[in-house]
mmCIF file of all heavy atoms in Angstrom:
data_model
loop_
_atom_site.group_PDB
_atom_site.id
_atom_site.type_symbol
_atom_site.label_atom_id
_atom_site.label_comp_id
_atom_site.label_asym_id
_atom_site.label_seq_id
_atom_site.Cartn_x
_atom_site.Cartn_y
_atom_site.Cartn_z
ATOM 1 N N ALA A 1 -9.349 -20.309 1.432
ATOM 2 C CA ALA A 1 -8.023 -19.699 1.368
ATOM 3 C C ALA A 1 -7.042 -20.523 2.182
ATOM 4 O O ALA A 1 -7.364 -20.994 3.281
ATOM 5 C CB ALA A 1 -8.075 -18.272 1.912
ATOM 6 N N GLY A 2 -5.845 -20.703 1.646
ATOM 7 C CA GLY A 2 -4.802 -21.396 2.376
ATOM 8 C C GLY A 2 -4.086 -20.458 3.332
ATOM 9 O O GLY A 2 -4.316 -19.244 3.336
ATOM 10 N N ASP A 3 -3.215 -21.006 4.142
ATOM 11 C CA ASP A 3 -2.415 -20.204 5.065
ATOM 12 C C ASP A 3 -1.194 -19.705 4.313
ATOM 13 O O ASP A 3 -0.227 -20.439 4.095
ATOM 14 C CB ASP A 3 -2.005 -21.035 6.274
ATOM 15 C CG ASP A 3 -1.223 -20.210 7.293
ATOM 16 O OD1 ASP A 3 -1.134 -18.983 7.099
ATOM 17 O OD2 ASP A 3 -0.677 -20.801 8.242
ATOM 18 N N LEU A 4 -1.220 -18.439 3.900
ATOM 19 C CA LEU A 4 -0.145 -17.909 3.087
ATOM 20 C C LEU A 4 0.827 -17.044 3.876
ATOM 21 O O LEU A 4 1.775 -16.488 3.306
ATOM 22 C CB LEU A 4 -0.708 -17.100 1.916
ATOM 23 C CG LEU A 4 -1.395 -15.753 2.215
ATOM 24 C CD1 LEU A 4 -1.561 -14.975 0.913
ATOM 25 C CD2 LEU A 4 -2.749 -15.930 2.837
ATOM 26 N N GLY A 5 0.602 -16.896 5.166
ATOM 27 C CA GLY A 5 1.520 -16.102 5.967
ATOM 28 C C GLY A 5 1.390 -14.616 5.736
ATOM 29 O O GLY A 5 2.346 -13.855 5.958
ATOM 30 N N ALA A 6 0.210 -14.167 5.308
ATOM 31 C CA ALA A 6 0.007 -12.742 5.067
ATOM 32 C C ALA A 6 -0.158 -12.011 6.391
ATOM 33 O O ALA A 6 -0.634 -12.573 7.380
ATOM 34 C CB ALA A 6 -1.207 -12.518 4.187
ATOM 35 N N VAL A 7 0.219 -10.742 6.376
ATOM 36 C CA VAL A 7 0.097 -9.885 7.561
ATOM 37 C C VAL A 7 -0.557 -8.578 7.140
ATOM 38 O O VAL A 7 -0.619 -8.251 5.944
ATOM 39 C CB VAL A 7 1.486 -9.606 8.184
ATOM 40 C CG1 VAL A 7 2.111 -10.899 8.701
ATOM 41 C CG2 VAL A 7 2.409 -8.926 7.183
ATOM 42 N N PRO A 8 -1.102 -7.807 8.102
ATOM 43 C CA PRO A 8 -1.705 -6.524 7.732
ATOM 44 C C PRO A 8 -0.721 -5.635 6.969
ATOM 45 O O PRO A 8 0.451 -5.541 7.325
ATOM 46 C CB PRO A 8 -2.085 -5.921 9.087
ATOM 47 C CG PRO A 8 -2.309 -7.102 9.962
ATOM 48 C CD PRO A 8 -1.288 -8.114 9.539
ATOM 49 N N ALA A 9 -1.218 -4.997 5.913
ATOM 50 C CA ALA A 9 -0.355 -4.169 5.071
ATOM 51 C C ALA A 9 0.105 -2.922 5.823
ATOM 52 O O ALA A 9 -0.661 -2.320 6.564
ATOM 53 C CB ALA A 9 -1.090 -3.774 3.795
ATOM 54 N N ARG A 10 1.362 -2.554 5.603
ATOM 55 C CA ARG A 10 1.940 -1.344 6.201
ATOM 56 C C ARG A 10 2.413 -0.418 5.088
ATOM 57 O O ARG A 10 2.954 -0.865 4.072
ATOM 58 C CB ARG A 10 3.127 -1.668 7.102
ATOM 59 C CG ARG A 10 2.865 -2.613 8.240
ATOM 60 C CD ARG A 10 4.074 -2.638 9.198
ATOM 61 N NE ARG A 10 5.358 -2.626 8.487
ATOM 62 C CZ ARG A 10 5.994 -3.723 8.080
ATOM 63 N NH1 ARG A 10 5.457 -4.919 8.288
ATOM 64 N NH2 ARG A 10 7.153 -3.623 7.449
ATOM 65 N N MET A 11 2.238 0.863 5.319
ATOM 66 C CA MET A 11 2.620 1.874 4.350
ATOM 67 C C MET A 11 4.089 1.754 3.953
ATOM 68 O O MET A 11 4.435 1.787 2.765
ATOM 69 C CB MET A 11 2.333 3.263 4.934
ATOM 70 C CG MET A 11 2.821 4.420 4.097
ATOM 71 S SD MET A 11 1.831 4.635 2.607
ATOM 72 C CE MET A 11 2.659 6.054 1.886
ATOM 73 N N ASP A 12 4.975 1.602 4.924
ATOM 74 C CA ASP A 12 6.401 1.572 4.621
ATOM 75 C C ASP A 12 6.780 0.366 3.774
ATOM 76 O O ASP A 12 7.746 0.407 3.007
ATOM 77 C CB ASP A 12 7.225 1.578 5.915
ATOM 78 C CG ASP A 12 6.984 0.320 6.748
ATOM 79 O OD1 ASP A 12 5.852 0.124 7.207
ATOM 80 O OD2 ASP A 12 7.937 -0.460 6.932
ATOM 81 N N ALA A 13 6.007 -0.734 3.905
ATOM 82 C CA ALA A 13 6.325 -1.951 3.163
ATOM 83 C C ALA A 13 5.746 -1.948 1.758
ATOM 84 O O ALA A 13 6.382 -2.416 0.810
ATOM 85 C CB ALA A 13 5.825 -3.169 3.936
ATOM 86 N N VAL A 14 4.519 -1.441 1.582
ATOM 87 C CA VAL A 14 3.846 -1.552 0.285
ATOM 88 C C VAL A 14 4.165 -0.392 -0.654
ATOM 89 O O VAL A 14 3.950 -0.499 -1.864
ATOM 90 C CB VAL A 14 2.312 -1.673 0.443
ATOM 91 C CG1 VAL A 14 1.957 -2.821 1.365
ATOM 92 C CG2 VAL A 14 1.690 -0.378 0.944
ATOM 93 N N HIS A 15 4.688 0.715 -0.118
ATOM 94 C CA HIS A 15 4.878 1.898 -0.955
ATOM 95 C C HIS A 15 5.785 1.640 -2.151
ATOM 96 O O HIS A 15 5.490 2.053 -3.277
ATOM 97 C CB HIS A 15 5.426 3.061 -0.128
ATOM 98 C CG HIS A 15 5.826 4.238 -0.965
ATOM 99 N ND1 HIS A 15 7.134 4.600 -1.174
ATOM 100 C CD2 HIS A 15 5.084 5.105 -1.701
ATOM 101 C CE1 HIS A 15 7.175 5.650 -1.976
ATOM 102 N NE2 HIS A 15 5.955 5.970 -2.299
ATOM 103 N N GLY A 16 6.886 0.951 -1.943
ATOM 104 C CA GLY A 16 7.814 0.711 -3.052
ATOM 105 C C GLY A 16 7.196 -0.102 -4.165
ATOM 106 O O GLY A 16 7.336 0.234 -5.346
ATOM 107 N N LEU A 17 6.505 -1.187 -3.802
ATOM 108 C CA LEU A 17 5.867 -2.020 -4.811
ATOM 109 C C LEU A 17 4.758 -1.260 -5.520
ATOM 110 O O LEU A 17 4.598 -1.363 -6.744
ATOM 111 C CB LEU A 17 5.315 -3.295 -4.159
ATOM 112 C CG LEU A 17 4.594 -4.277 -5.081
ATOM 113 C CD1 LEU A 17 5.496 -4.746 -6.215
ATOM 114 C CD2 LEU A 17 4.065 -5.473 -4.281
ATOM 115 N N ASP A 18 3.977 -0.480 -4.775
ATOM 116 C CA ASP A 18 2.911 0.295 -5.397
ATOM 117 C C ASP A 18 3.467 1.278 -6.417
ATOM 118 O O ASP A 18 2.918 1.434 -7.507
ATOM 119 C CB ASP A 18 2.118 1.051 -4.330
ATOM 120 C CG ASP A 18 0.979 1.857 -4.924
ATOM 121 O OD1 ASP A 18 -0.025 1.248 -5.337
ATOM 122 O OD2 ASP A 18 1.100 3.095 -4.995
ATOM 123 N N ALA A 19 4.572 1.942 -6.073
ATOM 124 C CA ALA A 19 5.176 2.902 -7.002
ATOM 125 C C ALA A 19 5.687 2.207 -8.260
ATOM 126 O O ALA A 19 5.559 2.737 -9.376
ATOM 127 C CB ALA A 19 6.306 3.654 -6.304
ATOM 128 N N GLU A 20 6.251 1.028 -8.116
ATOM 129 C CA GLU A 20 6.728 0.275 -9.279
ATOM 130 C C GLU A 20 5.567 -0.086 -10.207
ATOM 131 O O GLU A 20 5.678 0.022 -11.436
ATOM 132 C CB GLU A 20 7.432 -1.001 -8.824
ATOM 133 C CG GLU A 20 8.760 -0.791 -8.124
ATOM 134 C CD GLU A 20 9.332 -2.109 -7.621
ATOM 135 O OE1 GLU A 20 8.805 -3.181 -8.032
ATOM 136 O OE2 GLU A 20 10.280 -2.068 -6.825
ATOM 137 N N VAL A 21 4.464 -0.520 -9.634
ATOM 138 C CA VAL A 21 3.331 -0.989 -10.435
ATOM 139 C C VAL A 21 2.545 0.179 -11.019
ATOM 140 O O VAL A 21 2.139 0.149 -12.191
ATOM 141 C CB VAL A 21 2.427 -1.900 -9.582
ATOM 142 C CG1 VAL A 21 1.148 -2.244 -10.333
ATOM 143 C CG2 VAL A 21 3.172 -3.169 -9.205
ATOM 144 N N ALA A 22 2.323 1.233 -10.225
ATOM 145 C CA ALA A 22 1.566 2.392 -10.715
ATOM 146 C C ALA A 22 2.376 3.224 -11.698
ATOM 147 O O ALA A 22 1.814 3.906 -12.554
ATOM 148 C CB ALA A 22 1.125 3.262 -9.541
ATOM 149 N N GLY A 23 3.686 3.210 -11.566
ATOM 150 C CA GLY A 23 4.543 4.016 -12.444
ATOM 151 C C GLY A 23 4.932 5.343 -11.846
ATOM 152 O O GLY A 23 5.620 6.134 -12.486
ATOM 153 N N PHE A 24 4.522 5.614 -10.603
ATOM 154 C CA PHE A 24 4.877 6.847 -9.907
ATOM 155 C C PHE A 24 4.542 6.669 -8.432
ATOM 156 O O PHE A 24 3.806 5.754 -8.049
ATOM 157 C CB PHE A 24 4.133 8.063 -10.479
ATOM 158 C CG PHE A 24 2.642 7.983 -10.343
ATOM 159 C CD1 PHE A 24 1.983 8.605 -9.291
ATOM 160 C CD2 PHE A 24 1.878 7.275 -11.268
ATOM 161 C CE1 PHE A 24 0.610 8.509 -9.154
ATOM 162 C CE2 PHE A 24 0.500 7.181 -11.140
ATOM 163 C CZ PHE A 24 -0.137 7.804 -10.078
ATOM 164 N N SER A 25 5.077 7.541 -7.597
ATOM 165 C CA SER A 25 4.826 7.481 -6.162
ATOM 166 C C SER A 25 3.593 8.307 -5.812
ATOM 167 O O SER A 25 3.462 9.450 -6.243
ATOM 168 C CB SER A 25 6.046 8.025 -5.401
ATOM 169 O OG SER A 25 5.796 8.070 -4.020
ATOM 170 N N ARG A 26 2.694 7.734 -5.004
ATOM 171 C CA ARG A 26 1.443 8.417 -4.635
ATOM 172 C C ARG A 26 1.193 8.247 -3.125
ATOM 173 O O ARG A 26 0.267 7.568 -2.697
ATOM 174 C CB ARG A 26 0.273 7.873 -5.455
ATOM 175 C CG ARG A 26 0.204 6.352 -5.519
ATOM 176 C CD ARG A 26 -0.924 5.902 -6.409
ATOM 177 N NE ARG A 26 -1.046 4.444 -6.455
ATOM 178 C CZ ARG A 26 -2.007 3.795 -7.094
ATOM 179 N NH1 ARG A 26 -2.929 4.459 -7.752
ATOM 180 N NH2 ARG A 26 -2.051 2.467 -7.093
ATOM 181 N N ILE A 27 2.024 8.895 -2.351
ATOM 182 C CA ILE A 27 2.074 8.648 -0.912
ATOM 183 C C ILE A 27 0.781 9.029 -0.206
ATOM 184 O O ILE A 27 0.248 8.257 0.597
ATOM 185 C CB ILE A 27 3.273 9.398 -0.290
ATOM 186 C CG1 ILE A 27 4.584 8.773 -0.797
ATOM 187 C CG2 ILE A 27 3.222 9.328 1.229
ATOM 188 C CD1 ILE A 27 5.823 9.511 -0.349
ATOM 189 N N SER A 28 0.249 10.235 -0.468
ATOM 190 C CA SER A 28 -0.931 10.678 0.273
ATOM 191 C C SER A 28 -2.132 9.792 -0.036
ATOM 192 O O SER A 28 -2.929 9.465 0.862
ATOM 193 C CB SER A 28 -1.256 12.142 -0.049
ATOM 194 O OG SER A 28 -1.549 12.304 -1.428
ATOM 195 N N TYR A 29 -2.299 9.399 -1.285
ATOM 196 C CA TYR A 29 -3.402 8.525 -1.666
ATOM 197 C C TYR A 29 -3.251 7.165 -1.002
ATOM 198 O O TYR A 29 -4.200 6.609 -0.441
ATOM 199 C CB TYR A 29 -3.423 8.400 -3.187
ATOM 200 C CG TYR A 29 -4.561 7.585 -3.755
ATOM 201 C CD1 TYR A 29 -5.748 7.385 -3.065
ATOM 202 C CD2 TYR A 29 -4.444 7.017 -5.024
ATOM 203 C CE1 TYR A 29 -6.788 6.644 -3.603
ATOM 204 C CE2 TYR A 29 -5.478 6.277 -5.582
ATOM 205 C CZ TYR A 29 -6.643 6.091 -4.862
ATOM 206 O OH TYR A 29 -7.661 5.355 -5.394
ATOM 207 N N LEU A 30 -2.039 6.630 -1.036
ATOM 208 C CA LEU A 30 -1.788 5.317 -0.459
ATOM 209 C C LEU A 30 -2.035 5.333 1.052
ATOM 210 O O LEU A 30 -2.657 4.407 1.605
ATOM 211 C CB LEU A 30 -0.351 4.911 -0.753
ATOM 212 C CG LEU A 30 0.029 3.444 -0.605
ATOM 213 C CD1 LEU A 30 -0.824 2.576 -1.502
ATOM 214 C CD2 LEU A 30 1.507 3.261 -0.918
ATOM 215 N N ARG A 31 -1.587 6.382 1.715
ATOM 216 C CA ARG A 31 -1.775 6.486 3.167
ATOM 217 C C ARG A 31 -3.275 6.533 3.505
ATOM 218 O O ARG A 31 -3.729 5.853 4.423
ATOM 219 C CB ARG A 31 -1.065 7.728 3.697
ATOM 220 C CG ARG A 31 -1.144 7.867 5.214
ATOM 221 C CD ARG A 31 -0.387 9.088 5.698
ATOM 222 N NE ARG A 31 1.046 8.953 5.494
ATOM 223 C CZ ARG A 31 1.778 9.701 4.672
ATOM 224 N NH1 ARG A 31 1.196 10.648 3.943
ATOM 225 N NH2 ARG A 31 3.070 9.513 4.561
ATOM 226 N N ALA A 32 -4.047 7.300 2.751
ATOM 227 C CA ALA A 32 -5.480 7.382 2.998
ATOM 228 C C ALA A 32 -6.162 6.051 2.715
ATOM 229 O O ALA A 32 -7.080 5.638 3.446
ATOM 230 C CB ALA A 32 -6.098 8.490 2.142
ATOM 231 N N TRP A 33 -5.733 5.366 1.679
ATOM 232 C CA TRP A 33 -6.360 4.096 1.306
ATOM 233 C C TRP A 33 -6.152 3.044 2.396
ATOM 234 O O TRP A 33 -7.070 2.295 2.735
ATOM 235 C CB TRP A 33 -5.793 3.609 -0.024
ATOM 236 C CG TRP A 33 -6.685 2.621 -0.708
ATOM 237 C CD1 TRP A 33 -6.490 1.279 -0.824
ATOM 238 C CD2 TRP A 33 -7.923 2.889 -1.368
ATOM 239 N NE1 TRP A 33 -7.525 0.691 -1.514
ATOM 240 C CE2 TRP A 33 -8.415 1.672 -1.866
ATOM 241 C CE3 TRP A 33 -8.654 4.065 -1.587
ATOM 242 C CZ2 TRP A 33 -9.613 1.578 -2.562
ATOM 243 C CZ3 TRP A 33 -9.844 3.968 -2.295
ATOM 244 C CH2 TRP A 33 -10.309 2.732 -2.773
ATOM 245 N N LEU A 34 -4.954 3.006 2.958
ATOM 246 C CA LEU A 34 -4.664 2.017 3.990
ATOM 247 C C LEU A 34 -5.322 2.351 5.321
ATOM 248 O O LEU A 34 -5.506 1.468 6.170
ATOM 249 C CB LEU A 34 -3.150 1.892 4.177
ATOM 250 C CG LEU A 34 -2.401 1.163 3.058
ATOM 251 C CD1 LEU A 34 -0.894 1.300 3.234
ATOM 252 C CD2 LEU A 34 -2.796 -0.305 2.998
ATOM 253 N N ALA A 35 -5.683 3.621 5.516
ATOM 254 C CA ALA A 35 -6.260 4.051 6.789
ATOM 255 C C ALA A 35 -7.781 4.027 6.805
ATOM 256 O O ALA A 35 -8.383 4.315 7.843
ATOM 257 C CB ALA A 35 -5.774 5.465 7.120
ATOM 258 N N GLN A 36 -8.446 3.682 5.702
ATOM 259 C CA GLN A 36 -9.900 3.792 5.650
ATOM 260 C C GLN A 36 -10.560 2.823 6.640
ATOM 261 O O GLN A 36 -10.107 1.688 6.812
ATOM 262 C CB GLN A 36 -10.420 3.563 4.235
ATOM 263 C CG GLN A 36 -10.081 2.227 3.616
ATOM 264 C CD GLN A 36 -10.510 2.153 2.169
ATOM 265 O OE1 GLN A 36 -11.657 2.394 1.837
ATOM 266 N NE2 GLN A 36 -9.571 1.841 1.284
ATOM 267 N N PRO A 37 -11.614 3.259 7.294
ATOM 268 C CA PRO A 37 -12.279 2.426 8.306
ATOM 269 C C PRO A 37 -12.897 1.169 7.697
ATOM 270 O O PRO A 37 -13.329 1.163 6.543
ATOM 271 C CB PRO A 37 -13.379 3.352 8.853
ATOM 272 C CG PRO A 37 -12.948 4.736 8.488
ATOM 273 C CD PRO A 37 -12.209 4.601 7.195
#
């Protein structure tokens, strides 16, 4: 993998893109997915 400047995903940053791609907003699912151990 190259150095792409990626950083740990944050809920506030990814939510908008996720909603655009999924076709709807799914906040509780997204929050749980990002918090999994």
Side-chain angles (χ1 to χ4, degrees):
D3 183 7
L4 70 166
V7 296
R10 302 190 319 271
M11 174 72 180
D12 64 296
V14 305
H15 172 251
L17 179 58
D18 181 73
E20 291 176 12
V21 172
F24 62 97
S25 176
R26 47 183 182 176
I27 292 175
S28 61
Y29 183 23
L30 197 58
R31 183 178 293 115
W33 200 254
L34 287 171
Q36 59 186 306

